[in-house]
Amino acid sequence: MRVLLCVIAILALVVIPTEMADAAMQFTLWPAEFSYGTPSGTFAWNSTLFGFRFDEPLGPFVSLRSDLRYGAVANPSFTATSMSGYSGSTWIADTAFRVGLRTGPVGFAAYGGYGGFFFNAKGPSASDNVVLRNLSSRLGVEATVAASGGLVLRGSYTWITSLTANADFSMSGPPAVADSRSGTGSGSEYEITLQYSPVPVTTVFAGYRGGSSQISWSGGGTNNSTFQGYLVGVELHF
């Protein structure tokens, strides 16, 4: 798969006439549901994430894309039991090099980078603390298709490789539990949106984003983690 993405990137640079990519800023609102499995049990929570993305052109059809999303934690639970009195935040960030091309109404891009997410929550007791983290390499593809009426359908798929995970938590209960684990794994993410440009430099969009990963933990145990939710946003080109 890595060889295929490299070939696509080379072809994009060689066979397409020289052209600079546009710089772009994207703002999103994404109410998402998260589930993070550990050998001791599954953490679940909601976060309404505010996202910012910046695409910086580096050359013909090449850009550096950086994403940052942040949201406060709501409705946290552990093994389907509410974690009363806990509050915290969810951070998601990644950076990727992107190579893209367009032929008529169809656009295509390949990208590779690194990123992950960080969850932190503190409880009513000074010793109550939950920290969950995933970091990984990321390889993906993206396609856009222009439809009638000025609408554009955009979809992306990302392979999560070389994932490293950490889960450190101490809770006085109920239930009372403490554990510290590291793990490795892999997974995937996807996003599909419908876009519309009311003016040449502005695009509004709505869609859905989700993903899953499987983590093998130190000391034994393999668990799944997922996230999903609808999103809306605006993208500015300049």
Side-chain angles (χ1 to χ4, degrees):
M1 182 57 63
R2 294 186 182 183
V3 173
L4 175 60
L5 292 177
C6 289
V7 170
I8 292 170
I10 293 171
L11 288 175
L13 292 174
V14 173
V15 305
I16 304 299
T18 299
E19 176 181 318
M20 287 297 293
D22 291 331
M25 290 190 301
Q26 185 183 106
F27 303 91
T28 59
L29 180 64
W30 179 40
E33 300 175 352
F34 294 85
S35 175
Y36 192 98
T38 75
S40 298
T42 298
F43 291 91
W45 70 95
N46 298 340
S47 282
T48 298
L49 293 141
F50 298 88
F52 172 77
R53 169 183 290 175
F54 185 70
D55 276 295
E56 173 67 26
L58 300 178
F61 295 95
V62 182
S63 66
L64 178 64
R65 171 175 289 181
S66 300
D67 278 278
L68 178 63
R69 304 173 192 261
Y70 166 81
V73 171
N75 306 317
S77 66
F78 178 68
T79 60
T81 301
S82 175
M83 295 167 58
S84 179
Y86 280 78
S87 61
S89 59
T90 306
W91 292 86
I92 301 177
D94 64 79
T95 299
F97 287 98
R98 182 176 180 274
V99 180
L101 59 90
R102 176 174 294 278
T103 303
V106 178
F108 182 81
Y111 52 88
Y114 191 80
F117 89 90
F118 180 84
F119 167 91
N120 179 72
K122 292 187 176 296
S125 171
S127 61
D128 292 337
N129 189 47
V130 180
V131 176
L132 309 173
R133 183 179 65 186
N134 280 8
L135 295 172
S136 65
S137 301
R138 304 162 62 82
L139 297 170
V141 291
E142 179 183 282
T144 58
V145 179
S148 60
L151 297 175
V152 175
L153 183 66
R154 177 167 66 185
S156 64
Y157 189 89
T158 304
W159 290 269
I160 300 172
T161 63
S162 304
L163 184 151
T164 59
N166 296 91
D168 299 289
F169 48 93
S170 176
M171 298 185 295
S172 56
V177 61
D179 201 357
S180 180
R181 300 282 186 123
S182 60
T184 59
S186 60
S188 62
E189 299 178 4
Y190 65 91
E191 181 175 306
I192 184 166
T193 60
L194 189 62
Q195 307 175 175
Y196 178 70
S197 297
V199 294
V201 297
T202 303
T203 300
V204 294
F205 58 89
Y208 193 83
R209 185 171 188 263
S212 64
S213 59
Q214 188 175 62
I215 302 169
S216 297
W217 296 101
S218 59
T222 299
N223 300 93
N224 293 323
S225 297
T226 63
F227 64 83
Q228 58 188 344
Y230 292 95
L231 59 86
V232 294
V234 59
E235 187 171 278
L236 306 176
H237 298 264
F238 52 93

